[in-house]
Amino acid sequence: MIISRGRRCAVTALVGLSAVLVPATASTSAAAVPAALDSLAQYRALPEPPAAGVARTELGDLNVEAPHSMAGYSRAKFPHWAQQGNSCDTREVVLKRDGQDVSQDAECRAVSGTWYSEYDSKTLTASGQVDVDHMVPLAAGWRAGADLWDTAKRKAFANDLTHSQLIAVSAASNRSKGDQTPDLWKPPLQSYWCTYSRAWIDVKYVYELNVTEAEEAALGEMLDTCPAS
């Protein structure tokens, strides 16, 4: 099952004031964005993950387990991109959400716009340069327990616009990441590690996915880059 917001509220209460969410326009990476990109940075729209204190609590609640076998895995078992209405699928919704001045054609395809890639601080001016990344990749989810899910839950995971699971980034950074966990790949832009780890942890917590020992250690180190509350 997917963990409710009610359960998260209970976790938030444990960490007190440190659990206050940071507004999207004041994300950890903002200070590292060159002044010329400030107007783009304010358009970041990844649903804000919980604050570092909450993320640490969530990380401690995750089950630590060796990765499951990739036997039987297929991206087709995670139906995406799902239709979201008005001829728009999930990918196009994220491109519109995360971009600036995005124009779409009659079939909801982004034909122009500008995107700022959080992973590597690149500014992109064509949708073909942009990938919509699954924060927790589908294959990583499979190894962490999604191999035991039904198709409906896998579809929800692959098209989740509510939690911090989908983000528009440069195609180069997304393809460099592949299906690797944070012990094997981190965003080149180190100032984004705080947000990245908080988002990764929260997605795994919401979907009750496992972490490996190495992954858990890497996420803890990335949380250490978050500013003190």
Side-chain angles (χ1 to χ4, degrees):
M1 76 180 189
I2 298 175
I3 292 175
S4 69
R5 291 293 176 183
R7 177 174 169 185
R8 174 165 305 138
C9 289
V11 174
T12 301
L14 295 176
V15 296
L17 292 177
S18 67
V20 176
L21 299 187
V22 179
T25 53
S27 70
T28 308
S29 60
V33 177
L37 295 178
D38 280 349
S39 61
L40 280 179
Q42 67 179 309
Y43 284 86
R44 293 191 294 266
L46 174 77
E48 186 70 17
V54 179
R56 286 190 187 279
T57 302
E58 292 182 347
L59 180 60
D61 286 343
L62 295 179
N63 183 50
V64 180
E65 186 175 298
H68 293 192
S69 169
M70 286 295 289
Y73 170 74
S74 168
R75 286 179 64 86
K77 292 185 177 180
F78 295 79
H80 65 291
W81 303 106
Q83 287 298 307
Q84 300 292 341
N86 299 320
S87 300
C88 298
D89 63 23
T90 305
R91 170 182 160 79
E92 297 300 341
V93 169
V94 175
L95 289 178
K96 177 71 172 178
R97 182 196 73 184
D98 289 4
Q100 181 181 7
D101 299 327
V102 177
S103 296
Q104 297 171 303
D105 64 17
E107 297 182 8
C108 201
R109 295 172 299 196
V111 294
S112 64
T114 308
W115 293 265
Y116 174 75
S117 173
E118 294 278 17
Y119 290 176
D120 51 9
S121 193
K122 291 182 178 178
T123 302
L124 312 165
T125 56
S127 61
Q129 301 171 321
V130 184
D131 278 358
V132 174
D133 179 45
H134 289 95
M135 179 65 64
V136 176
L138 305 182
W142 179 274
R143 294 192 297 270
D147 57 326
L148 304 177
W149 294 351
D150 61 19
T151 301
K153 187 170 181 179
R154 291 187 194 128
K155 181 178 181 180
F157 176 74
N159 296 277
D160 191 341
L161 294 166
T162 301
H163 304 99
S164 308
Q165 169 66 337
L166 298 172
I167 182 171
V169 295
S170 71
S173 65
N174 184 44
R175 293 165 197 182
S176 171
K177 172 182 174 178
D179 66 353
Q180 299 178 92
T181 49
D183 51 307
L184 300 173
W185 187 92
K186 299 176 180 65
L189 190 64
Q190 187 170 350
S191 59
Y192 195 63
W193 286 8
C194 174
T195 301
Y196 189 86
S197 58
R198 288 158 49 217
W200 182 287
I201 291 165
D202 193 52
V203 171
K204 286 223 159 175
Y205 180 78
V206 166
Y207 285 93
E208 298 182 298
L209 290 168
N210 307 319
V211 289
T212 66
E213 289 185 3
E215 180 185 355
E216 181 185 39
L219 288 165
E221 292 170 1
M222 294 173 78
L223 285 176
D224 288 342
T225 68
C226 296
S229 302

